[in-house]
Amino acid sequence: MEAAVQRTKWLGKSWKFLEVTTSTQDEAKKWVREGAPHGALVVAEEQTRGRGRLGRSWFSPPGKNLYFTVALKLPTSSPPLSTLSLLAGIAVAEALRSHFNAQVFVKWANDVVGCDGRKLAGILVEGFKDRSGTDWALIGIGVNVNLTEDELPAELREIATSLQILLGRQLERFQVLGTILASLEAWWEDWISQGIEPLRKAFAQLDWLKGKKVRLILPNGREFEGVANGITEKGELRLILHDGSEHNFTAGEITLRAHGTPAKP
Ligand code: BTN
């Protein structure tokens, strides 16, 4: 752990390492309520109730992967919380590309994927207020590091991957953590000072969906189909529908469409 937080100026300088916990998100929230500083980091070797988005669980076996949460205090005027998952995705993808030469991409809005679209890392951003009314963001990140194909549960084998699978070698997990934290810290500083424009530029280089035919299922169940065309200045997904009109979406689940024409909204 010491080595992992040596690369940063402030992020993760206060940290907790837990052999096992329910979820690093729960631990971080508890810690903030007890007075954790901005940039506090919770890392777990294993999670018994690792959470994904939309109430899903996150596969969190011991000894193989990274599960961590950073607690960040939000200034009174910051870009929308929804753009933090893009920030985290870009920070993870850039760190893995530049330090380990991994060919990874960001899949709007929350996933880091390999070039075959299988998920390598998931991001969960939760906002809450502490007792004094200050807004906090908890950025939870799970990265599959040293899992082999055989170690993936059958139901994840088609949709998940790991750095070990992508690179063909084992990596030192805390070295991976250190590179991600340094990247997150730099992107957070840019986000605070410059908003999301720098993120938008970086996203354009890492956008796995760009030009692909996709189906988007909104949180209310409505479905749209179209061609993904990057993101707006607010971090929304731009979809070009069958009639050439463009619609922007703040949230939803994306699946790829193999064939056919985009349906009407
Ligand atoms: C998703 O893809 O649905 C998000 C997955 C987020 C998983 C991480 S692991 C560390 C942190 N603790 C959790 O319980 N979830 C996040």
Side-chain angles (χ1 to χ4, degrees):
M1 271 302 290
E2 285 297 346
V5 296
Q6 256 167 25
R7 293 168 181 266
T8 58
K9 290 178 280 172
W10 51 269
L11 185 64
K13 295 297 180 192
S14 287
W15 55 265
K16 280 188 186 181
F17 177 81
L18 303 159
E19 280 299 332
V20 60
T21 183
T22 51
S23 158
T24 55
Q25 295 289 99
D26 300 339
E27 288 291 342
K29 195 174 209 172
K30 201 169 101 203
W31 192 12
V32 168
R33 290 201 167 120
E34 290 163 359
H38 173 64
L41 165 72
V42 178
V43 183
E45 184 68 7
E46 178 183 5
Q47 297 184 119
T48 52
R49 281 205 300 274
R51 294 203 298 274
R53 291 187 313 130
L54 307 168
R56 296 187 185 129
S57 61
W58 184 255
F59 180 57
S60 310
K64 293 283 170 179
N65 298 328
L66 284 171
Y67 320 108
F68 63 98
T69 297
V70 290
L72 298 157
K73 210 184 265 194
L74 290 163
T76 37
S77 65
S78 57
L81 193 70
S82 58
T83 58
L84 273 182
S85 44
L86 277 178
L87 180 154
I90 289 166
V92 171
E94 279 197 352
L96 299 179
R97 278 177 168 254
S98 56
H99 292 272
F100 305 103
N101 205 17
Q103 289 306 298
V104 296
F105 299 85
V106 179
K107 182 179 168 197
W108 183 89
N110 294 68
D111 298 343
V112 178
V113 298
C115 47
D116 57 2
R118 286 157 74 194
K119 185 156 156 174
L120 175 75
I123 290 148
L124 181 67
V125 177
E126 296 176 317
F128 79 105
K129 278 189 198 303
D130 67 15
R131 282 200 200 97
S132 70
T134 304
D135 283 306
W136 287 77
L138 300 177
I139 304 183
I141 302 180
V143 187
N144 294 338
V145 182
N146 289 327
L147 279 181
T148 61
E149 298 266 8
D150 293 347
E151 288 163 342
L152 279 167
E155 68 276 15
L156 295 182
R157 227 161 271 167
E158 301 278 300
I159 54 171
T161 190
S162 71
L163 283 167
Q164 146 92 45
I165 295 168
L166 289 178
L167 301 173
R169 66 189 170 98
Q170 300 256 315
L171 294 180
E172 212 284 291
R173 283 178 296 152
F174 291 106
Q175 200 190 343
V176 178
L177 176 61
T179 63
I180 293 175
L181 291 174
S183 179
L184 258 182
E185 180 181 81
W187 275 109
W188 172 267
E189 288 175 353
D190 282 1
W191 186 75
I192 293 292
S193 61
Q194 299 172 56
I196 88 149
E197 204 40 43
L199 278 181
R200 226 158 76 92
K201 288 209 182 88
F203 183 79
Q205 306 299 312
L206 296 168
D207 182 359
W208 188 73
L209 292 175
K210 174 87 180 165
K212 293 192 166 84
K213 282 184 179 173
V214 301
R215 171 174 292 135
L216 175 73
I217 306 176
L218 301 187
N220 66 9
R222 267 186 92 186
E223 292 190 16
F224 291 82
E225 291 182 353
V227 175
N229 190 30
I231 55 170
T232 68
E233 59 290 339
K234 292 188 200 141
E236 303 155 324
L237 178 72
R238 300 163 65 172
L239 266 194
I240 300 175
L241 306 186
H242 77 295
D243 59 0
S245 66
E246 189 182 288
H247 289 243
N248 304 331
F249 298 92
T250 33
E253 278 294 288
I254 290 278
T255 49
L256 280 200
R257 293 183 69 247
H259 30 244
T261 50
K264 284 186 181 171

